[in-house]
Amino acid sequence: MASAAVSHRTAEAPQTADPLVSVEGLSVDFATPRGTIHALRDISLEVPKGKVLGLVGESGCGKSTLAYSMIGLLAENARVAGGAIRMGGQDLAHLKPKAWRDLRGTRIAMIFQDPMTSLNPVTTIGKQMIDIQYREPISRSEKRARAIEFLEQVQLPDAAAKLDVYPHQLSGGMRQRVCIAMALLTRPDLLIADEPTTALDATLELQIVTLLRELQETFGCSVLFVSHHLGTVAELCDEVAVMYAGEVVERGHVREVFHAPRHPYTQALFDCDPARIRQATRQLPTIPGTLPDLRQPPAGCAFRARCSKAFGRCAAEHPPLHAAGPGQVARCHLNDPAEDVA
Amino acid sequence: MTDATQSPLPEPGLLARSLSVLSGNRTGVIGFVLVALIVGSAILAPWIVPYDPTAIMTGPRMAPPSAEHWLGTDNIGRDIFSRVIAGGRIAMLVAAASLTAALSAGLLLGLIAGLGPRWLDNLLLLVFDALRSFPTIVFGLAVVTIIGPSLFTVMLVVAITSVPIYARIVRTQTLALKNAEFILAERAMGVGLPRLLFVHVLPNVLGPLLILASMDVPLVIATEAGLSFLGMGVRPPTPSWGVILNDGYNFIRNSPWPVIGGSIPIILVTLGFTFMGEALRDIFDPKLRKAG
Amino acid sequence: MSLLEVTDLRIRYARQGRLKAALRRESHDFEAVCGVSFTLEPGQTLGLVGESGSGKSTIARTLIGLKKSSGGSIRFDGAEISQASGRDWARLRREMSMMWQDPVGSLSPRLTVKSLVTEPLRINGLPAGRTEAERLLGLVGLPAEFATRYPHQLSGGQARRVGVARALALDPKLLIADEPTAGLDMSVQGEVLNLLAEVQARSGVAIVIITHNLNLVRHVTDQMAIMYLGRFVEQGPTEQVFAHPRHPYTKALLAANPEPDPEARHERVALSGEVPSPVNRPSGCDFHPRCPWAREACAAKEPGWTEESGRGHRCLFPL
Ligand SMILES: Nc1ncnc2c1ncn2[C@@H]1O[C@H](COP(=O)(O)OP(=O)(O)OP(=O)(O)O)[C@@H](O)[C@H]1O
Ligand SMILES: Nc1ncnc2c1ncn2[C@@H]1O[C@H](COP(=O)(O)OP(=O)(O)OP(=O)(O)O)[C@@H](O)[C@H]1O
Ligand SMILES: [Mg+2]
Ligand SMILES: [Mg+2]
């Protein structure tokens, strides 16, 4: 990737003293019969120790792909084309399956986007929750008790009785809470949560978010929180990374990014949030245009075609991550100090 | 209204996907080629055998491989290569007939267990487990003592012992599908039962089943060979692989060639169908993850 | 005449472990929805929000005839449908349709988009060819080239559009949308909702939207109903409910909606206590164990439905 060298020089990420995981210039390709999809390109970010990093961006921009690469569950046709994911001296991007089995379920756990895919439809909730504790040297009844305890933590009513039911007998939000409880059971260092609260009502969402916060404060675990719900991100996260078409386009502390977005895509995304529109309206704002073809990512800025502020330089030159404020970086030429002079 | 959603690549059909999976998978190609050769030679056996497989004294007895007899001859001078090819026809016939029977019965019983009432499901599961708890050979011996040894006996034994395996798979898949949202969606549109079964449920059950069946072919053939070897399947002089092996073992001190000739096809069949099954799995299930 | 008139609707589910329940002399089923009433006019949108597990999807499944009700009445277009026979449903299913929560999972995986969008036509013996498919895809702004794709080749937003096209294929009078925008980003969510609004303006379809997204409810619904433990606790014109919630649960729910602003200091309503389950209802008011405003009377007396000037609530001491 041409921009890799540049971005490392200019990027001034919100540096934490000691990140738990740092993704360094990660690129992931998908091989398809119609060509190679460059789904992630030169991703650099850090999940700070004991903090929550939010990940937002358009459907299909690669959030789940990034999440999967951090837990070693990339699709069969995926290939790490470059970069590394460092965690405690290991490079997760190039780990052997055996090493992954030891990490998964102990140090790293994931809550998947679709609860139905991670729950087995033909076994009871209880059996699944007991099986996942196979590493624990405790008796079956203790495992059962722990399962109930965690189901209560995620506010599932009648938790003990729920151990005997099958996934389809639960409501959508209940399934999602079961998944959350299962991920928490393993007490991971890094919890990857891919849209964990989409099926929950607002009060529950708030409780789960509070629970995640508490958990993260008591056990010092780090959370990567993928979400489309900007309100929840604002509420829960310490830092946020905004992705567009396989790249991180903006990164920084939540406060700065939400108050002063420095990338036009971030701005446009925020403008689409109906929560920001005070006056009730039937016609909601959208971002016109389409995502670029990820087989041939555009030479210049990826967002150029949909950007209202695009100018000559955007077509010609791929923007590096410019420092855009205290601890904030944005992949947009408008943040280049040289532009102000011009 | 503009289409602002991202547009994934139009994906090609099954054929193109098969080719692309195979292009990166050497064992898969080997599997398909082997299977094609085996099936082809089985179909064309009567025309391609150099000698009549039952004709005796086509050359010297117990001869090692030579230009005239590629795999040598047996104790009464029959051409082993011709017998192996002809035996392949029998093996394939047994595999095709018994697996088709087992697949159809397994599909039907599995669907009934998966979609029917709870008590029927439990009853069928009990029957499946009971059937499966006999070792195939023991079960075969029992059947043979009742109806006598023949090609049909072999097919019956193989079919009956594989039904529970297929039925269980179909049942699990059906149970998982029964509450899938797209099935509910179809029912909400008022789809009729035949269409629901044949268009929406079956195609999603069939893929894994066919893969399993392809991997089971060597097992079936080994069972046929095993029963015939024990004298409980195909009767001599019909050239089944088990019969060839049996004949060979009696004279193994004099010549190893009949045994070697009879084992080669079994090894090739096992490799071929196993590799093909693995490749099929990659083709049918594009959503596989590189999980450890 | 209202298009849909639901009165005192009750729906039960079987409990797991009937034997155990029988031994303890407990009932072998429980009421997931108990006594829900509402009406819906043509061209109107009703938002159904509330606690997770409160029975919203269950109501949807009953309206569309996948689950039998155990009491109450559902009148659709003037006719009672809660006891409708299989033949009646064949006709009814042309007039109501559903959008499912999982955009990709609700599309039959081995069918092409063309077959998927024309499926309702085919089921009803209507012509279901290329022209129909293209008309329907055009309706939701998808190019005709999508006709040959399979569900797993669609992005979430595109799969949603296929779902909308299929739901509109027969020009229904009633559309039920269960979480129509879950998992979509803000921009695609806007597109889907704009599409629904456009169709509604053109055809006058009545819509029931089930969702957890309060921002969405505020913008696209006329009426909203808030559910808790199988009952409506409040109902009324959306604007009024947002401006002045009467039921404490509504207030807690609306206050929990996070603002996309990290600085915002929220005036939250703390809900404490255990979440009750429909198997084991509390005495008196369902909400009193968690209600910050609960008084003694709340534990003893079950509040009835109070209706005043177009709004209703179920609270002894409304805010
Ligand atoms: N196995 C695969 N083969 C080919 N392309 C893929 C594969 N998985 C994902 N993609 C493509 O990679 C891109 C990123 O997908 P990903 O699932 O990471 O998006 P996302 O950001 O999680 O979107 P959403 O918010 O809708 O979940 C998309 O364009 C998608 O079509
Ligand atoms: N098939 C079933 N068998 C038994 N109980 C069920 C079944 N389906 C749902 N339930 C129960 O009925 C209640 C209501 O479920 P429902 O799916 O209607 O909730 P919901 O309001 O849609 O919740 P969510 O917002 O989480 O989707 C829950 O307690 C659930 O456990
Ligand atoms: Mg995703
Ligand atoms: Mg639901």
Side-chain angles (χ1 to χ4, degrees), chain A residues 115 167 170-177 199-200, chain C residues 52-53 57 61 101 212:
Chain A
L170 296 177
S171 80
M174 291 173 169
R175 274 178 227 152
Q176 204 159 43
R177 279 177 274 166
L200 301 182
Chain C
S52 162
S57 302
R61 264 178 242 159
Q101 184 162 352
H212 289 304

Side-chain angles (χ1 to χ4, degrees), chain A residues 282, chain C residues 1-7 37-48 59 63 74-78 95-97 173-177 200 204-210 220-225 232 235-236 238:
Chain A
R282 283 288 157 103
Chain C
M1 183 184 59
S2 305
L3 177 71
L4 183 67
E5 232 180 295
V6 175
T7 325
S37 308
F38 63 92
T39 59
L40 187 61
E41 309 297 327
Q44 264 208 340
T45 306
L46 169 74
L48 209 51
I59 293 180
L63 288 180
I74 307 172
R75 293 181 76 80
F76 178 74
D77 228 2
E95 307 194 329
M96 40 172 100
S97 60
K173 293 180 177 162
L174 174 65
L175 174 66
I176 302 160
Q200 187 172 44
V205 59
I207 304 179
V208 178
I209 287 190
I210 299 172
V220 305
T221 65
D222 305 294
Q223 292 271 325
M224 71 187 284
F232 280 5
Q235 190 190 359
T238 305

Side-chain angles (χ1 to χ4, degrees), chain A residues 1-28:
Chain A
M1 211 61 3
S3 67
V6 188
S7 71
H8 282 307
R9 211 170 337 109
T10 35
E12 259 172 54
Q15 296 291 344
T16 23
D18 189 14
L20 177 72
V21 182
S22 63
V23 179
E24 295 166 4
L26 182 73
S27 298
V28 172

Side-chain angles (χ1 to χ4, degrees), chain B residues 4 6 11 181 186 188 195, chain C residues 93 102 119 153 158 191:
Chain B
Q6 145 255 11
E11 252 184 72
E181 211 160 89
E186 291 294 333
R195 188 171 164 81
Chain C
R93 290 212 162 102
D102 184 344
E119 180 86 355
Q153 297 165 346
Q158 290 159 349
E191 282 176 42

Side-chain angles (χ1 to χ4, degrees), chain A residues 266-330:
Chain A
T266 317
Q267 183 66 54
L269 182 71
F270 288 170
D271 289 343
C272 286
D273 188 352
R276 296 207 168 194
I277 307 165
R278 296 274 156 242
Q279 196 67 40
T281 169
R282 283 288 157 103
Q283 191 66 30
L284 294 167
T286 60
I287 306 176
T290 54
L291 265 187
D293 185 345
L294 291 180
R295 285 173 299 179
Q296 294 128 13
C301 169
F303 188 58
R304 183 189 73 240
R306 304 169 76 178
C307 181
S308 55
K309 299 193 184 117
F311 58 107
R313 199 174 158 193
C314 303
E317 192 186 329
H318 185 81
L321 280 169
H322 288 288
Q328 192 176 358
V329 292

Side-chain angles (χ1 to χ4, degrees), chain C:
Chain C
M1 183 184 59
S2 305
L3 177 71
L4 183 67
E5 232 180 295
V6 175
T7 325
D8 197 31
L9 180 66
R10 289 166 187 278
I11 309 167
R12 307 185 77 94
Y13 279 117
R15 278 172 69 176
Q16 201 62 25
R18 287 187 197 201
L19 195 63
K20 236 192 263 172
L23 286 179
R24 291 204 216 115
R25 294 171 188 253
E26 287 169 4
S27 136
H28 63 81
D29 60 2
F30 68 93
E31 211 161 49
V33 173
C34 30
V36 159
S37 308
F38 63 92
T39 59
L40 187 61
E41 309 297 327
Q44 264 208 340
T45 306
L46 169 74
L48 209 51
V49 302
E51 165 121 285
S52 162
S54 58
K56 304 180 295 297
S57 302
T58 303
I59 293 180
R61 264 178 242 159
T62 303
L63 288 180
I64 199 91
L66 291 179
K67 172 100 188 96
K68 278 245 168 301
S69 60
S70 60
S73 101
I74 307 172
R75 293 181 76 80
F76 178 74
D77 228 2
E80 176 65 39
I81 63 166
S82 58
Q83 305 297 328
S85 66
R87 183 166 322 167
D88 293 334
W89 272 112
R91 179 183 55 78
L92 284 168
R93 290 212 162 102
R94 293 174 175 216
E95 307 194 329
M96 40 172 100
S97 60
M98 177 131 178
M99 272 176 74
W100 295 79
Q101 184 162 352
D102 184 344
V104 182
S106 56
L107 303 177
S108 195
R110 309 262 157 181
L111 264 56
T112 58
V113 166
K114 169 176 172 289
S115 315
L116 285 167
V117 291
T118 53
E119 180 86 355
L121 301 172
R122 194 170 306 110
I123 289 171
N124 286 291
L126 299 168
R130 239 189 112 98
T131 36
E132 281 76 20
E134 281 175 13
R135 177 182 67 85
L136 288 168
L137 289 179
L139 197 68
V140 294
L142 284 178
E145 56 122 341
F146 274 74
T148 55
R149 293 218 189 157
Y150 289 92
H152 72 270
Q153 297 165 346
L154 302 172
S155 77
Q158 290 159 349
R160 283 271 177 226
R161 283 161 193 249
V162 173
V164 178
R166 179 170 74 171
L168 298 176
L170 293 171
D171 228 335
K173 293 180 177 162
L174 174 65
L175 174 66
I176 302 160
D178 196 352
E179 302 274 1
T181 62
L184 298 182
D185 68 72
M186 295 300 163
S187 168
V188 180
Q189 165 181 310
E191 282 176 42
V192 171
L193 293 174
N194 291 347
L195 174 64
L196 282 183
E198 195 185 305
V199 169
Q200 187 172 44
R202 193 168 48 208
S203 71
V205 59
I207 304 179
V208 178
I209 287 190
I210 299 172
T211 182
H212 289 304
N213 189 335
L214 294 168
N215 304 318
L216 182 161
V217 172
R218 188 162 64 92
H219 287 298
V220 305
T221 65
D222 305 294
Q223 292 271 325
M224 71 187 284
I226 296 94
M227 274 192 91
Y228 187 82
L229 212 57
R231 293 198 172 102
F232 280 5
V233 293
E234 181 156 4
Q235 190 190 359
T238 305
E239 245 170 275
Q240 292 180 28
V241 173
F242 268 90
H244 184 37
R246 304 297 308 272
H247 195 281
Y249 177 68
T250 314
K251 188 166 174 79
L253 188 68
L254 298 184
N257 189 26
E259 299 236 355
D261 178 0
E263 303 275 273
R265 275 300 126 239
H266 306 269
E267 210 185 296
R268 289 276 157 73
V269 181
L271 290 188
S272 56
E274 204 163 308
V275 186
S277 100
V279 180
N280 234 325
R281 292 176 172 280
S283 66
C285 170
D286 287 334
F287 189 56
H288 88 265
R290 302 173 71 201
C291 179
W293 289 274
R295 308 183 199 176
E296 242 160 71
C298 298
K301 187 162 174 286
E302 196 174 314
W305 184 252
T306 321
E307 192 128 4
E308 47 192 40
S309 58
R311 295 183 59 177
H313 59 78
R314 190 184 292 280
C315 181
L316 292 175
F317 308 102
L319 303 171

